[in-house]
Amino acid sequence: AATASQSPQYMQSLLRSRYPSTCEPAEDPTIANIVDTARYPIHELDGTQAAATIAKARAAWETYGEVSLPGFIRADVRALLADEVSGLPAHNRRYTAPYLARKSLGSNASLDPEHPLRRLFQSDIHAVAGDQIPNATLLRRVYDSPAVAAFFARVIRRGRLYHYADGLQQLNVMYLLDRGGRSWHYDGSDFVATLMVQQADEGGDFDFAPFIRTRCGGGGGDAENFARVRELFDGAYAGRRTTRAEAGTVQLFNGCRSLHRVRTAFGPTARITAVLSYDSNPPCAQQLPSLEANVRNYGERVRDSAVWLRAQEERRRLCAGVESPPPFETEG
């Protein structure tokens, strides 16, 4: 029998990346059955109401690097959306690590004992890769919607957004079970969209420090602003913000400059979020994750089930005739 990663569903998730037009503005009338278009008029981006909504969202984006869009998903479909993505096969990422990879900053021999890089934090999350999310789900329809992507692009001032070309990472579901949490970290990109599918009974709040880092990627030295990070970890940083999103809320976030975490969740109700990944570059100009990065994110099945080889084959086919497309990353 074929594994999940060898199924037609997996191949379809890869094939989505073939068509850069999937994120172009287009008529998408059925999305109004999922998105509250009365509140967020994503089909009329040049209209007066949309302009006001976008202007308000842009102000938050430019000030805090974070936009919350409560009620983006209609109340009458939230339970079904959550049911469709509950209990999917997931990889448990449980580890203890500093907030930033130390190897990128050289030797730690000279670090102060209280330096923030010496502090360790525990994460315990369960990650569902894109090939494990059924194509017929409401979540897939939201991700595939050109109107949704065009709206996001307007808010963050991007001319156009493309689906991320990695079939495993383009759309994920994250579970925080009882006593699970996600420790302080930065993201690898300057934009990610998340959807709160289901909130935990208690806890699960989102903490972030807007633009605490001078630039994406840091690079050490003054850009990392270690003194401010130390204040953040000591609970003395005045710039920290905390949000608690309810089900149906979409959040747009600049996570490469804003250090962030999800506090420990408590109770029998899992905290479920979806991560929708886009890129400003077309598929053949995107930098994709390495095999080892995807193994860390989604488990050994990525290596054992030939998922990676299929991804590389699809990459070569997509980029046939494209001069010198970026290689897969060699490190995670």
Side-chain angles (χ1 to χ4, degrees):
T3 65
S5 58
Q6 296 168 326
S7 67
Q9 174 183 307
Y10 169 70
M11 294 310 297
Q12 289 173 33
S13 71
L14 285 179
L15 288 171
R16 295 172 194 277
S17 303
R18 290 188 61 180
Y19 306 104
S21 61
T22 54
C23 283
E24 291 181 339
E27 291 298 324
D28 186 14
T30 63
I31 198 64
N33 297 325
I34 306 172
V35 174
D36 186 349
T37 54
R39 187 172 182 179
Y40 299 99
I42 59 176
H43 287 308
E44 301 174 348
L45 296 184
D46 295 320
T48 302
Q49 183 185 351
T53 301
I54 291 168
K56 181 179 179 181
R58 278 181 178 173
W61 175 258
E62 292 167 1
T63 303
Y64 302 113
E66 185 269 344
V67 179
S68 289
L69 304 171
F72 191 81
I73 300 299
R74 289 173 42 152
D76 59 339
V77 300
R78 293 174 197 165
L80 175 59
L81 190 151
D83 184 65
E84 288 180 339
V85 298
S86 296
L88 297 176
H91 173 63
N92 184 201
R93 302 180 195 166
R94 187 173 185 179
Y95 57 90
T96 300
Y99 81 98
L100 192 65
R102 294 172 178 171
K103 65 181 181 181
S104 64
L105 301 175
S107 172
N108 294 318
S110 61
L111 291 182
D112 183 282
E114 296 300 317
H115 194 284
L117 281 177
R118 291 192 179 274
R119 304 195 190 187
L120 300 178
F121 303 94
Q122 181 170 300
S123 290
D124 188 355
I125 58 178
H126 293 73
V128 179
D131 65 311
Q132 304 283 22
I133 301 171
N135 290 328
T137 57
L138 297 178
L139 177 59
R140 277 282 181 196
R141 289 173 61 188
V142 172
Y143 182 68
D144 287 347
S145 169
V148 169
F151 173 69
F152 292 166
R154 285 284 186 98
V155 171
I156 65 172
R157 297 185 185 274
R158 302 288 174 87
R160 181 174 169 186
L161 289 175
Y162 298 85
H163 289 137
Y164 192 47
D166 183 88
L168 300 180
Q169 290 201 19
Q170 64 176 205
L171 181 64
N172 287 179
V173 172
M174 302 293 184
Y175 304 140
L176 285 188
L177 307 183
D178 186 28
R179 300 179 187 276
R182 180 71 165 95
S183 61
W184 291 108
H185 66 286
Y186 290 113
D187 295 338
S189 65
D190 64 353
F191 164 66
V192 68
T194 60
L195 167 61
M196 179 59 68
V197 176
Q198 178 175 277
Q199 185 56 275
D201 296 311
E202 296 182 48
D205 293 354
F206 181 72
D207 287 340
F208 67 103
F211 305 126
I212 196 170
R213 202 182 204 182
T214 302
R215 59 179 177 269
C216 286
D222 294 339
E224 295 294 350
N225 295 318
F226 290 125
R228 294 181 185 176
V229 173
R230 180 172 174 174
E231 288 181 1
L232 178 67
F233 293 167
D234 288 341
Y237 185 65
R240 190 187 76 185
R241 294 177 64 86
T242 300
T243 65
R244 179 177 175 80
E246 297 304 320
T249 299
V250 163
Q251 181 190 55
L252 310 181
F253 187 60
N254 180 340
C256 70
R257 288 187 56 200
S258 299
L259 197 58
H260 54 288
R261 69 174 177 180
V262 179
R263 295 188 187 183
T264 304
F266 298 98
T269 303
R271 182 186 192 271
I272 305 176
T273 54
V275 181
L276 293 70
S277 296
Y278 303 90
D279 200 291
S280 298
N281 297 309
C284 292
Q286 295 176 18
Q287 188 84 23
L288 299 187
S290 67
L291 169 61
E292 293 305 321
N294 274 341
V295 169
R296 286 195 299 272
N297 287 332
Y298 311 114
E300 286 294 326
R301 74 173 186 89
V302 176
R303 194 195 316 276
D304 297 341
S305 62
V307 174
W308 181 246
L309 292 177
R310 288 176 179 271
Q312 291 185 85
E313 291 169 4
E314 179 66 9
R315 169 76 159 176
R316 284 192 290 269
R317 191 170 69 81
L318 286 173
C319 298
V322 177
E323 185 175 353
S324 301
F328 284 84
E329 294 177 1
T330 56
E331 296 183 4

